[in-house]
Each structure stands twice: as C-alpha cells, then as structure tokens.
Amino acid sequence: MNTHLAAVTQIAVPFLWLGMVLAISFLETPLKFRAPGITVPLGLGIGRLVFRALNVAELALAVTLTLTLLASNAGKVNLGGIVTTVLIAIWTLLVIQVAVLRPRLDRRVRHLIQGQSPPRSHHHLAYIAAECAKIVLLPALGILLADRLLP
C-alpha cells in the first residue's frame, strides 16, 4: 500500500469511526423516539437494524485500520506501545458489544416488540458504557497516529 495512503487511512479511520458512533448512539438513537408517530416497538425495531449496520461498519473499520497498521509495520514487529494497546482496547470493546451485549439486547427487544415484559437488564447500560469508552479511545488513537505519522 502506498505509504501516503496508509498514513491518511490510519489517521482518518479513527475519526470517521468516532463520527459514526456519535451520530448513531448519541444523536439518532435518542431523537428517534421523539419523532411523531414512532411507537416504542417501531423505534426498537429500527434501532436493531441501525445498530446491526453500525456494528458491521465498525468491524470493517477496525479490520481496515488493523490491516493498514500491520502492513505499514511489515518487517518492524512492534506489538507493544500505546497505539497497539489502544487498538486492542477498542477491539475488545467492539467484540464485547457485537458478540456478548447486542445478542442479549436483541433478545430483549424481540420480547418487547412482541408485547412481553422481560426482566430488567443492565446490558443496555453496559453497551452505553462501551460506547462512551470508544468515544474517548477513538480520538486518542487518531491523535496518537497523527502524532506518529505527520511531520
């Protein structure tokens, strides 16, 4: 990969990803339920689709960023350092959200859409906490990469 393109990708991806998380999790999601005619079941159904799409996009961005970093470090194995630590933390949060929390939230939403009253759950708060951690870690990663790559 062209080194200039790799550098631009490494800097742009964390900030693009941050924008997506902020726009969906902290803007679209709460506003959706204030729209005229949106019922709770309809809003929850829309939310399931939107978060599934967001998670797919996040996984694509995480893979792109990871592969770009690995390719730009080819021959220079450096698995330590703050950039690697932050990237691993972001990957960990994303995997927990996608593989652990979202399936449980999806089950709960299905029950709510069907008119059932499932027991209370803290999974939603855990998902929000992970989103909050990502909105701290993503710009930190972008700044670290920009500092490393820009003259």
Side-chain angles (χ1 to χ4, degrees):
M1 174 180 263
N2 174 317
T3 55
H4 180 71
L5 179 58
V8 169
T9 300
Q10 289 175 32
I11 296 168
V13 166
F15 293 108
L16 172 64
W17 188 349
L18 172 66
M20 292 172 66
V21 169
L22 289 171
I24 297 298
S25 296
F26 297 99
L27 185 62
E28 182 275 339
T29 298
L31 289 177
K32 163 181 55 215
F33 290 100
R34 294 183 182 166
I38 295 292
T39 63
V40 171
L42 182 59
L44 292 172
I46 292 167
R48 283 177 66 204
L49 292 173
V50 169
F51 275 92
R52 185 177 307 128
L54 174 63
N55 289 154
V56 167
E58 288 183 289
L59 287 166
L61 290 169
V63 166
T64 299
L65 183 57
T66 301
L67 291 176
T68 305
L69 285 166
L70 289 172
S72 67
N73 287 331
K76 302 177 270 179
V77 177
N78 178 11
L79 297 179
I82 188 71
V83 168
T84 302
T85 302
V86 173
L87 184 60
I88 289 170
I90 293 168
W91 263 108
T92 302
L93 290 167
L94 183 58
V95 168
I96 289 169
Q97 286 180 303
V98 170
V100 177
L101 296 173
R102 208 185 77 230
R104 292 174 183 175
L105 290 169
D106 279 350
R107 271 193 302 279
R108 182 171 166 70
V109 165
R110 277 196 308 276
H111 289 120
L112 288 167
I113 289 172
Q114 294 169 356
Q116 300 169 0
S117 297
R120 293 194 57 84
S121 163
H122 295 295
H123 296 117
H124 187 243
L125 293 176
Y127 197 96
I128 293 169
E131 292 290 77
C132 290
K134 284 191 306 194
I135 66 169
V136 172
L137 292 171
L138 286 166
L141 181 60
I143 291 166
L144 288 166
L145 290 167
D147 187 53
R148 184 170 89 174
L149 296 168
L150 296 176

